[in-house]
Amino acid sequence: MQNEWIYIGLFLVVGALIPAAAIIVSAVLSPRKSNQIKESTYECGVETVGENWVQFKAQYYIFALVFLVFDVEVVFLFPWAVALNQLGVFVVVEGLIFIGILLAGLIYAWRKGMLEWV
Amino acid sequence: MTAEQILFLVTAAVMLVAAVSVVTTRNLIHAALWLIVTLFGAAVLFAMLRAGFMAVIQVVVYIGAIAILFIFAVMLTRRELRDRGPQLNPGWWLAAILALLMFSGLVLVLGGWQGLWAAAPAYPSEFDSVQALGQALVSPEAFVLPFEVASVLLLAALIGAVYIAFQRKGKEE
Amino acid sequence: MDFWRNPVTDWVSGLLVSWGLSPEAAHVLTAFLAVLVLISVVMVLDIFLVWMERKIVARFQDRLGPNRLGPFGLIQPIADIIKLIVKENIYPRGADKVVYDLAPVLMMMSVLLLWAVLPLSPILFGVDLNVGVLYIVGVGALGTLAIIMAGWSSNNKYALLGAFRQVAVMISYEIPMVVSLMIPTILAGTMGINGIVQAQSTWFIVLAPLACLVFLISALAEMGRAPFDLTEAESELIAGHHIEYSGMKFGLFYAAELLHAFTFGGFIAAFFFGGWRGPWVDQYPMLGLLWFLVKTLIGYWVFGWIRYTLPRIRIDKMLDLNWKFLVPFSFALLMFLAFMHSLLRGTEVYVLGMFLSNVVFGWVTVEILRRQARQERSRVEGARAAVNAGQKT
């Protein structure tokens, strides 16, 4: 029993059980009288027109791409941040170069107008 | 069987079922959700090996970023979200052969490896794997060059993203 | 792992062993019971957060708030719960029932999982993971997923639109949040949250106030609370991703949102305000729980204060604020503070030096922003003057 992740596993199980129990209790106690009107999609009383798909802007995808790049960068930086105190100033400079290269990328994307929502 | 083995078998079984569901379900969003289950299973396996950093990274990068990217991509490309496209494309047997070759290659390589059957050495107490990883990553004797090159690789990915975005914008106008 | 080794848990696991269980199984079962107790307490707390939230908003809006049921309306949340439980569960037409049911559970779970790493007192915490900070981010990813699932499975345009906006905002603000959390990590030299609290002989709010500010802003966006609650913009998107939910499932979304705010109040306390640190904690470790709760409640109140004071921000402005200000700002701050930290560490002027570095950094930022705003203004005014001159001739 050396592995501390077993406790995280327990939190995972209990954290899923309690909300699930709330929903099940409510499903047992609550009435079930469904009808056409009640089931219809809620749009402030206006009849629903067409399917529920909405053509999404490409911008969502582009922001997700930029996010992915920075997410991976952050993952690389965390071990650096933890080890910083053990090692010298040289390591700080390494990290600065690492961040600097990516900040240059961010400025490039900015200049190219990729970060505009509209 | 120890509790750990049972846990491993359950996780592996869930991962396999989810992985098969990814390719067999006809609903694209469901496929993405099953993929997330598979990826989460991998995180659980990492956690069982006490590779906490890897487990968390698996969730942060694969579920938090890549799966979201997939779902965005599905929503962008499909005109109808509940679209049921053809399940198999004509080249499916090629992929099957490739997967089979890959699997047999893995079996061949791992079958001859002693480490597969040996028990893992126990962790020394007070061992901080993240600390060790960080020192290995940035100390000049170890992996500092790959660490910096990784940043250049990410920069290349970012520029690629800008390029794709530009093509799209050009078409819209 | 002190939480799992105290008189109470030892007594319970001893009892279980005497019933014929193996010590390991008894330990796991005890831990299970302890987690159950902790999460139940958190859920009860959550019920009263509803009451607190209503009282806070009432005071901000010059009203009284719930005051009919019980003293100060304290029984009101119980009545709310009963109402939510006996309300009918409606599945909207065309909904994907399994995903639709899973989404609120996942949402609540993603918040409850955060309590596993929250250090409540020196001897009371779930797990002191050595990757605690990244764990918070990973659990946040599950919350993002829950929102997408809720929005997609409801078969409603507005739910999907709200969910997508919320997810775009959440993933964007995750970057400054993580970077601002990297600063306490550097200062403490560990990612374990209990380790970070232990390292705060001077609170990190003194060493890195700007990091705390960035964390506060990005945490607000991450939680989807006002002024960043455009996914719930009632007048345009009705209610965002949980528009089609009714009864207890809606209740779970609502409770998860409030608990999320409370939990992040806890994280702000742990990362920047010394967590359970306070007078007399060394003698009586359980006193740390009191200090922690006081700090957390103040954090929660600040979230409420911001929520009911500021108006909602448009999505393009929000993403601009993130990508064009917070991301470059937080990375530059990280570089600067990491450098100053390694330069000043161990010297006598460490605390003062770090604080002054923050002041200087903030001042330079404000100056740059001011210059840019001036340029922008003269550009706009110049263009307008040109147009006016053109009209006159």
Side-chain angles (χ1 to χ4, degrees):
Chain A
M1 282 308 141
Q2 288 299 308
N3 195 339
E4 69 269 25
W5 283 89
I6 192 132
Y7 304 115
I8 299 290
L10 292 175
F11 268 94
L12 203 68
V13 170
V14 178
L17 276 183
I18 289 190
I23 286 186
I24 290 167
V25 167
S26 142
V28 171
L29 290 179
S30 63
R32 243 166 283 171
K33 281 186 203 150
S34 199
N35 62 38
Q36 281 284 313
I37 304 290
K38 214 184 258 180
E39 274 185 9
S40 63
T41 302
Y42 179 72
E43 279 183 23
C44 297
V46 181
E47 287 282 328
T48 311
V49 179
E51 272 289 327
N52 80 327
W53 65 267
V54 194
Q55 192 79 51
F56 279 100
K57 288 162 69 88
Q59 211 58 28
Y60 282 103
Y61 186 70
I62 287 159
F63 273 109
L65 272 177
V66 180
F67 162 70
L68 181 60
V69 170
F70 280 93
D71 208 32
V72 177
E73 178 192 2
V74 162
V75 161
F76 273 105
L77 278 176
F78 260 108
W80 166 77
V82 171
L84 196 71
N85 279 351
Q86 266 71 36
L87 306 162
V89 179
F90 176 64
V91 172
V92 179
V93 176
E94 279 171 20
L96 298 194
I97 295 171
F98 188 91
I99 301 172
I101 291 175
L102 273 156
L103 272 186
L106 183 73
I107 291 166
Y108 173 73
W110 189 347
R111 276 284 166 85
K112 287 279 176 185
M114 201 166 110
L115 302 180
E116 307 295 333
W117 181 252
V118 274
Chain B
M1 272 203 290
T2 63
E4 202 177 5
Q5 281 168 326
I6 295 171
L7 210 58
F8 170 77
L9 287 178
V10 171
T11 315
V14 169
M15 276 176 77
L16 277 179
V17 170
V20 170
S21 305
V22 172
V23 287
T24 53
T25 182
R26 311 198 103 200
N27 188 322
L28 274 173
I29 298 284
H30 280 182
L33 294 177
W34 279 117
L35 182 66
I36 288 166
V37 175
T38 318
L39 295 171
F40 192 78
V44 172
L45 291 187
F46 278 129
M48 281 166 66
L49 291 169
R50 297 196 66 192
F53 187 72
M54 294 304 289
V56 175
I57 293 311
Q58 177 81 14
V59 174
V60 169
V61 174
Y62 281 90
I63 298 181
I66 292 180
I68 303 282
L69 198 67
F70 279 172
I71 292 177
F72 276 8
V74 169
M75 304 246 174
L76 277 171
T77 50
R78 293 276 155 170
R79 280 176 59 78
E80 206 174 310
L81 294 182
R82 281 148 206 268
D83 196 3
R84 280 151 209 275
Q87 212 168 347
L88 294 172
N89 79 1
W92 67 272
W93 53 274
L94 263 174
I97 290 173
L98 203 64
L100 213 65
L101 276 177
M102 199 80 157
F103 182 71
S104 43
L106 273 176
V107 169
L108 266 177
V109 170
L110 288 179
W113 183 46
Q114 289 294 316
L116 193 62
W117 311 105
Y123 273 98
S125 59
E126 296 298 312
F127 174 72
D128 190 345
S129 53
V130 182
Q131 189 82 256
L133 176 68
Q135 294 193 356
L137 208 55
V138 291
S139 64
E141 306 89 74
F143 299 105
V144 66
L145 192 65
F147 176 70
E148 296 294 342
V149 170
S151 128
V152 179
L153 183 70
L154 288 174
L155 182 69
L158 193 58
I159 292 172
V162 173
Y163 181 70
I164 292 172
F166 257 86
Q167 276 192 325
R168 209 182 289 274
K169 269 202 174 153
K171 269 179 203 159
E172 270 172 17
E173 279 159 8
Chain C
M1 226 144 284
D2 288 333
F3 182 44
W4 312 105
R5 289 259 176 266
N6 60 41
V8 183
T9 52
D10 281 348
W11 177 74
V12 173
S13 58
L15 194 70
L16 288 170
V17 169
S18 71
W19 286 350
L21 276 168
S22 73
E24 283 194 346
H27 181 69
V28 172
L29 201 60
T30 315
F32 179 79
L33 291 176
V35 172
L36 199 64
V37 169
L38 177 66
I39 288 189
S40 309
V41 170
V42 170
M43 292 300 277
V44 172
L45 182 81
D46 196 9
I47 293 172
F48 285 96
L49 284 181
V50 177
W51 175 81
M52 263 188 64
E53 180 83 10
R54 291 178 66 174
K55 275 291 192 192
I56 293 176
V57 58
R59 289 298 171 178
F60 273 106
Q61 295 172 349
D62 207 6
R63 293 185 284 118
L64 286 175
N67 65 348
R68 295 284 138 177
L69 280 167
F72 309 108
L74 262 173
I75 306 179
Q76 183 67 44
I78 312 278
D80 291 348
I81 295 279
I82 293 171
K83 182 192 128 189
L84 283 174
I85 285 180
V86 298
K87 263 215 161 187
E88 181 175 356
N89 282 311
I90 301 166
Y91 290 100
R93 194 177 304 138
D96 193 309
K97 284 191 181 174
V98 180
V99 182
Y100 181 84
D101 282 347
L102 274 177
V105 176
L106 193 64
M107 190 78 200
M108 197 71 215
M109 196 173 87
S110 75
V111 178
L112 289 176
L113 275 175
L114 290 174
W115 284 78
V117 293
L118 205 57
L120 304 172
S121 92
I123 57 160
L124 186 65
F125 50 85
V127 196
D128 192 16
L129 287 180
N130 62 353
V131 287
V133 173
L134 269 176
Y135 174 84
I136 299 173
V137 183
V139 169
L142 296 183
T144 318
L145 195 62
I147 288 176
I148 286 195
M149 281 165 69
W152 175 76
S153 66
S154 303
N155 192 29
N156 183 320
K157 289 169 205 164
Y158 294 94
L160 194 60
L161 204 55
F164 261 57
R165 281 188 180 185
Q166 172 75 347
V167 168
V169 165
M170 278 172 90
I171 60 174
S172 301
Y173 277 81
E174 201 174 303
I175 303 292
M177 189 174 95
V178 178
V179 175
S180 65
L181 286 183
M182 217 179 282
I183 291 167
T185 307
I186 287 177
L187 296 178
T190 173
M191 266 202 266
I193 296 174
N194 207 26
I196 289 178
V197 175
Q198 268 157 0
Q200 292 183 56
S201 43
T202 32
W203 290 0
F204 286 167
I205 182 74
V206 180
L207 301 183
L210 292 177
C212 182
L213 194 67
V214 173
F215 182 68
L216 179 73
I217 295 172
S218 46
L220 277 173
E222 191 81 2
M223 291 183 292
R225 279 171 79 89
F228 300 123
D229 65 340
L230 77 180
T231 116
E232 290 182 29
E234 288 86 355
S235 44
E236 15 169 328
L237 286 176
I238 316 171
H241 55 275
H242 54 61
I243 170 175
E244 291 286 1
Y245 283 86
S246 67
M248 202 59 216
K249 287 174 208 159
F250 164 74
L252 282 176
F253 276 111
Y254 187 63
E257 190 197 325
L258 292 183
L259 192 62
H260 204 171
F262 187 77
T263 315
F264 265 87
F267 281 125
I268 287 189
F271 286 128
F272 296 102
F273 290 90
W276 40 257
R277 277 172 172 276
W280 307 297
V281 169
D282 294 335
Q283 290 93 326
Y284 310 100
M286 283 314 283
L287 201 62
L289 184 62
L290 179 72
W291 296 125
F292 177 78
L293 281 181
V294 168
K295 289 170 186 174
T296 304
L297 280 173
I298 292 174
Y300 182 69
W301 187 80
V302 170
F303 283 140
W305 185 14
I306 295 172
R307 177 176 194 175
Y308 296 114
T309 310
L310 297 175
R312 189 174 291 137
I313 299 172
R314 227 168 58 192
I315 184 162
D316 56 329
K317 301 275 176 199
M318 253 180 96
L319 290 169
D320 275 1
L321 172 69
N322 178 66
W323 288 108
K324 295 178 181 174
F325 178 66
L326 280 179
V327 170
F329 176 76
S330 57
F331 273 116
L333 183 70
L334 173 71
M335 284 158 71
F336 185 62
L337 285 189
F339 185 69
M340 291 310 284
H341 170 72
S342 64
L343 207 66
L344 294 173
R345 185 160 40 99
T347 59
E348 291 194 349
V349 290
Y350 176 66
V351 173
L352 187 71
M354 287 302 279
F355 183 73
L356 284 182
S357 321
N358 273 282
V359 172
V360 169
F361 192 87
W363 180 72
V364 169
T365 311
V366 170
E367 275 304 313
I368 291 174
L369 286 180
R370 182 178 291 160
R371 182 162 304 166
Q372 281 218 323
R374 242 183 232 138
Q375 275 174 2
E376 183 73 13
R377 197 187 308 145
S378 65
R379 195 177 60 81
V380 170
E381 276 173 357
R384 191 178 297 152
V387 169
N388 285 345
Q391 278 171 346
K392 270 174 197 161
T393 50

